[in-house]
Amino acid sequence: MIRLLTFILITAVLVGCTVWFADNPGRMTVVWLGYRFDGSIGMVALALLALTAICVLIWRGWTIIANSPGWVGRLLGSRRRKKGQQALTMGLLELASGDVRQALKHTRAVDRYLEDDTLTRLLTAQAAELDGNNDAAKRQFEAMLEKPDSAFFGLRGLLQLSLKTNDREDALDYAERAHRLRPRNPAVIVTLFDLLLTSKRWDRALSLLVDAQKAEVFGEKELTRRRALLITAKAEDAIASGENAEAIKLLRKALNSADDFTGAAVLLAGLYRDLKQEAKARDVILHSWRTTPSAALSAIYLDTLTGDPLAQVKSVEKLAATNPDHVESQIILAEAALLADLWGMARSNLEKAMTRKTEARHYRLLADLELREKQDGAKARDLLVKASHANPDPDWRCGACGTETDRWVVSCPSCHSFGSVEWRSPLRVHQAPTSTAPDAGNPPSKDAAKDPVAIGQNATIIDHSNDDDGNGNSANNPQEGNQPAL
């Protein structure tokens, strides 16, 4: 619409000028270098307009001729870039397919057509790494460090090579340098965090959590958990160095950050017990028992009790009252009642606990009860046999690889998983019984429906029939001594 209005306006102006010159023709005489020119004003204006157009055309032609080498160069450069990008694409595809020789062939084409050697070095390094030539790959990645634009990618490549060769000292150095270049890169933050844990640099790992929070690598709950784990790891080192006051300060800080952290509660209560501060140890356990009761805490609590057995039962009842429906509350009540010769109380709590969860320790307690109350050795032996076949007792165990440890540690000593060691029961795995498909001559057993609920996997049965959270609910909570279902 605007173009149409502009065209109409210009046409109107030209027509107006033409009409005006036609109505006012006039005459003009020019004498120059002995020549005389006579003509109308309209003809002179038309001649000047034609002369201007000729000058413009001459100028445009000269500009085209002068700039033609650049145009030709850009045209040729565009073709080179297109060929280089095509060679780069094919090289990456050959790498993905595992054909190293073809990938290197395309790498030479990339080097020939593209001026920037960053892509060439990256492609060559990837091809060499795939071919198993780590030295050649390392040289290419190190060459990438010379340019600021490619330095980060060179460091990432060197970091991966160091991890592959298990050179964790160099890997930590490369990860730190890469983090300085890009402090919010999630992959670098996670890798650097794991390397810091391996080298037990707890303070640096804690400071890295600040960058992880800014980069939103972990959620708030996971950040709180990792922070509590790191503080507890520092406290564990302080205990080993004999700095008990510093350890207590750190453990209280960890529990303030995550009050359901069993590892910190067990360490703090155990430290108070060893320092003969039994009342403080019981206070820590009372606070933790409300959210995460465990046999590890109950053992420390019973160790701190003094006085006659009946007084100890009163103290245990105070503890169990903070979480009365939990299975661990019933077990510790049964243990205290057994020591006080309160047979009825011990038996009722044991039976109540075993309706939801049966473990070897439950049968051992029942065997002890039969011996002490009824002096029934035969019944006690039967219960001990059942204990040998029952679900194993909970202990400190890695949830990632299943490795058992004698104490809580921040990282699994076997698989190095961070924060995976919890007070939990191991999976009970046994060989699946052989069976035949039901047919007319082999009807299914009537007792088949009474078999425990189990998950079949690769000719084994993984029994979860008795795994709950102590409150009658199926659980995958590692704090309660259960493993996630496979």
Side-chain angles (χ1 to χ4, degrees):
M1 186 65 182
I2 296 177
R3 291 183 179 180
L4 179 61
L5 292 176
T6 304
F7 175 75
I8 293 173
L9 181 61
I10 293 174
T11 303
V13 171
L14 291 176
V15 171
C17 291
T18 302
V19 171
W20 188 84
F21 277 118
D23 293 339
N24 303 279
R27 300 291 297 175
M28 176 179 287
T29 299
V30 177
V31 178
W32 187 41
L33 298 177
Y35 295 95
R36 176 176 176 170
F37 302 94
D38 294 316
S40 64
I41 295 297
M43 291 299 295
V44 172
L46 183 60
L48 289 175
L49 184 62
L51 181 61
T52 302
I54 292 171
C55 291
V56 170
L57 290 175
I58 292 173
W59 173 255
R60 291 292 296 173
W62 170 254
T63 303
I64 292 172
I65 294 172
N67 293 333
S68 58
W71 292 348
V72 173
R74 284 192 293 272
L75 179 61
L76 295 177
S78 176
R79 292 180 177 178
R80 289 177 63 86
R81 283 194 301 273
K82 186 175 180 180
K83 289 182 179 180
Q85 291 170 357
Q86 184 179 6
L88 177 62
T89 302
M90 293 304 298
L92 293 174
L93 291 175
E94 295 294 351
L95 272 181
S97 66
D99 193 338
V100 178
R101 184 166 56 182
Q102 287 296 323
L104 291 175
K105 177 181 177 182
H106 290 294
T107 299
R108 290 189 288 271
V110 173
D111 192 26
R112 184 168 62 252
Y113 290 121
L114 296 181
E115 296 178 358
D116 188 4
D117 61 351
T118 301
L119 295 174
T120 306
R121 293 190 183 281
L122 181 60
L123 188 57
T124 304
Q126 294 290 341
E129 187 177 358
L130 185 62
D131 196 31
N133 192 349
N134 292 333
D135 292 336
K138 185 176 181 179
R139 287 194 297 270
Q140 295 297 330
F141 286 130
E142 288 176 342
M144 294 174 66
L145 302 181
E146 299 173 0
K147 294 184 178 180
D149 293 340
S150 61
F152 174 77
F153 303 101
L155 288 171
R156 280 296 310 274
L158 292 170
L159 172 59
Q160 296 301 322
L161 284 177
S162 299
L163 291 175
K164 183 183 294 186
T165 58
N166 202 29
D167 189 351
R168 305 191 77 82
E169 185 176 351
D170 284 348
L172 180 59
D173 177 60
Y174 292 135
E176 288 281 15
R177 292 167 62 184
H179 178 64
R180 285 195 293 269
L181 290 178
R182 294 193 181 181
R184 294 195 178 186
N185 185 278
V188 172
I189 289 176
V190 172
T191 304
L192 177 57
F193 190 83
D194 291 340
L195 291 169
L196 290 171
L197 294 179
T198 305
S199 59
K200 295 186 177 183
R201 295 177 57 183
W202 313 130
D203 289 325
R204 177 67 183 99
L206 280 169
S207 66
L208 185 63
L209 288 180
V210 178
D211 293 332
Q213 185 175 15
K214 294 178 181 178
E216 299 180 353
V217 177
F218 308 119
E220 285 299 324
K221 186 175 180 180
E222 180 64 14
L223 279 171
T224 300
R225 172 180 169 272
R226 287 175 179 258
R227 190 173 290 112
L229 284 166
L230 290 170
I231 294 173
T232 307
K234 290 180 62 179
E236 192 179 41
D237 289 347
I239 292 174
S241 302
E243 301 174 2
N244 295 326
E246 179 66 15
I248 291 173
K249 178 181 177 181
L250 290 169
L251 289 171
R252 287 200 171 278
K253 184 178 180 181
L255 285 174
N256 289 334
S257 177
D259 57 358
D260 60 345
F261 185 15
T262 303
V266 169
L267 284 178
L268 183 56
L271 181 58
Y272 276 135
R273 178 198 57 192
D274 297 338
L275 296 174
K276 306 303 181 182
Q277 300 179 22
E278 289 84 359
K280 290 184 178 180
R282 288 193 294 271
D283 288 340
V284 171
I285 296 172
L286 279 169
H287 179 76
S288 181
W289 200 269
R290 295 184 178 93
T291 55
T292 54
S294 74
L297 289 172
S298 66
I300 298 174
Y301 192 85
L302 291 174
D303 286 345
T304 62
L305 296 179
T306 57
D308 62 272
L310 289 177
Q312 294 182 19
V313 170
K314 294 294 184 182
S315 297
V316 171
E317 286 179 335
K318 179 182 177 182
L319 174 67
T322 61
N323 200 337
D325 295 328
H326 199 280
V327 65
E328 293 297 340
S329 295
Q330 295 151 9
I331 292 300
I332 193 173
L333 278 171
E335 291 177 344
L338 190 60
L339 293 175
D341 294 337
L342 300 176
W343 317 126
M345 181 180 179
R347 189 177 297 277
S348 64
N349 278 284
L350 272 175
E351 291 175 350
K352 188 185 299 183
M354 293 179 70
T355 58
R356 292 177 298 183
K357 188 172 187 177
T358 56
E359 295 173 342
R361 56 181 175 148
H362 301 160
Y363 289 109
R364 290 196 299 270
L365 285 173
L366 275 178
D368 193 11
L369 179 59
E370 292 295 336
L371 278 176
R372 299 183 63 174
E373 180 186 8
K374 301 178 182 179
Q375 291 77 44
D376 190 345
K379 184 67 176 294
R381 283 192 297 272
D382 290 341
L383 289 170
L384 290 177
V385 171
K386 289 184 178 180
S388 65
H389 296 288
N391 293 318
D393 295 336
D395 51 20
W396 292 116
R397 189 174 297 274
C398 175
C401 67
T403 299
E404 180 183 349
T405 63
D406 58 348
R407 59 188 176 86
W408 179 88
V409 287
V410 67
S411 297
C412 173
S414 178
C415 68
H416 307 292
S417 297
F418 177 65
S420 61
V421 176
E422 299 286 353
W423 186 260
R424 66 179 78 217
S425 297
L427 286 174
R428 179 180 171 84
V429 182
H430 54 85
Q431 190 67 25
T434 58
S435 62
T436 57
D439 52 31
N442 189 17
S445 172
K446 294 181 180 180
D447 295 332
K450 299 180 182 179
D451 291 339
V453 179
I455 303 173
Q457 179 176 335
N458 296 333
T460 61
I461 292 179
I462 304 174
D463 192 355
H464 289 276
S465 57
N466 291 312
D467 286 350
D468 57 42
D469 63 355
N471 293 306
N473 303 316
S474 64
N476 292 328
N477 186 353
Q479 297 282 6
E480 302 300 339
N482 297 301
Q483 293 277 15
L486 296 180

